[in-house]
Amino acid sequence: MDDRIARIQVKLAALPPAEKAVLGPVLTEQQVSDFEELHGTRMPEEFHQFVTHIGHGGYGPTYGLLSMERWVSGGAGVNGKLAEPFPFVPDVHIAAWSAGRHGGAAPAFPGAIAVVYRGCTDFTLLVVTGPGRGRLVEVNAEGFFAPHFHNDPDFLAWYERWLDFTLAEHRNLTWFADQMAGDEAALVATLLNDALATRRRAAACTFITYPAPSASLPDVLAQALSTEPHPAVREMILRALSAQGEHGRDRLPAALADPVPGVRSLAAILMTTNTPQGRRLSPQLRQTLGNHLRVEEDRSVRDTIQRMLDHSY
């Protein structure tokens, strides 16, 4: 049995009572094999161990783990035949993440079971057939965004990361689907050196909620911003900088020279902060945006900057 099973059991027991960390009863081997025979597939080993040794349905991200009777949900229109391969490949679809709403109905996703319902028509799927077998992937049943994979290698790693983030008191677990495991040093190394844009983006996203970051993190994020080739990763670095407070926001003006208008607009938006009195813009950043407004050539960016200047104090 995987050593992580015991670790997960210990971490579940360590959660505070307020988490209400209750899982349904484990499944029997017969129940799992009956499901597999019915659908012509086999569960990934890590998920098989989880549901037969830890629990089945219950405590987990968003609204919790779905029970077996909801793994294949024709009513939600998210599943196709489990024996057919899932049509997307891990780690190669980051360009679609920032493409915006696709619109229209999306086809069902074969080769994957639904393990989490995230609200509206959003689901977390576990791939059971195809090149992404064993990986978790976010989908929208109506095609409002392109499927994108979690960075965790398998179900046990994904679930243990959820427990670790909860125990460490990450500031906002709504970002969980876009984040990754690792301490600050490991995340920085990924952000600066990893060959995959999907992993660099996940590392940057994790710093949005990372508890107790070091004082040097804003400088590291600014360094990463200056060398990052992918605009979707640069956008996430901007969000991470904004999350570091004043010292992070003071580094956002560097992005006003970005070649992508959307990145420049996001930088302007993130220079403001929400307060009970409305949106606040520091005098220094207000002057920076005013100066840039005079030289900005893109109309959408100019409109964004003007809006930030007009609707902040």
Side-chain angles (χ1 to χ4, degrees), residues 250-308:
D250 285 346
R251 291 159 174 79
L252 294 176
L256 294 175
D258 196 280
V260 178
V263 176
R264 301 199 298 275
S265 289
L266 180 62
I269 293 169
L270 293 175
M271 287 181 200
T272 68
T273 56
N274 282 319
T275 73
Q277 293 76 37
R279 299 195 70 86
R280 181 182 181 278
L281 183 64
S282 72
Q284 178 182 348
L285 292 178
R286 178 176 292 277
Q287 181 177 356
T288 297
L289 285 180
N291 292 339
H292 185 75
L293 184 61
R294 291 193 288 269
V295 298
E296 175 59 55
E297 297 180 354
D298 187 274
R299 180 176 178 178
S300 65
V301 180
R302 291 200 307 271
D303 288 347
T304 298
I305 293 174
Q306 191 64 64
R307 189 166 63 252
M308 295 303 104

Side-chain angles (χ1 to χ4, degrees), residues 91-104:
D91 305 322
V92 297
H93 294 285
I94 188 172
W97 292 4
S98 58
R101 180 171 172 147
H102 294 180

Side-chain angles (χ1 to χ4, degrees), residues 163-203:
L163 298 178
D164 288 341
F165 278 27
T166 303
L167 288 166
E169 298 182 344
H170 269 249
R171 290 173 288 188
N172 185 347
L173 288 171
T174 60
W175 288 98
F176 176 76
D178 292 306
Q179 297 176 316
M180 68 188 304
D183 60 16
E184 183 172 325
L187 293 169
V188 165
T190 298
L191 180 59
L192 295 177
N193 304 316
D194 202 284
L196 288 174
T198 50
R199 288 180 54 79
R200 298 196 305 275
R201 182 182 184 275

Side-chain angles (χ1 to χ4, degrees), residues 1-79:
M1 186 171 66
D2 196 305
D3 291 342
R4 291 176 293 177
I5 294 293
R7 287 209 310 266
I8 287 172
Q9 290 171 329
V10 169
K11 291 175 181 180
L12 280 167
L15 290 168
E19 284 296 313
K20 299 180 180 178
V22 178
L23 288 161
V26 297
L27 297 175
T28 66
E29 292 290 345
Q30 187 63 52
Q31 286 174 303
V32 175
S33 63
D34 286 348
F35 179 90
E36 293 174 335
E37 183 176 355
L38 176 64
H39 294 285
T41 190
R42 291 187 63 81
M43 293 296 101
E45 177 60 23
E46 298 81 10
F47 185 67
H48 186 148
Q49 289 195 39
F50 184 92
V51 298
T52 58
H53 290 91
I54 294 180
H56 152 245
Y59 181 72
T62 317
Y63 297 115
L65 302 178
L66 296 176
S67 55
M68 177 187 277
E69 57 268 22
R70 298 187 65 192
W71 291 351
V72 179
S73 178
V78 73
N79 298 106

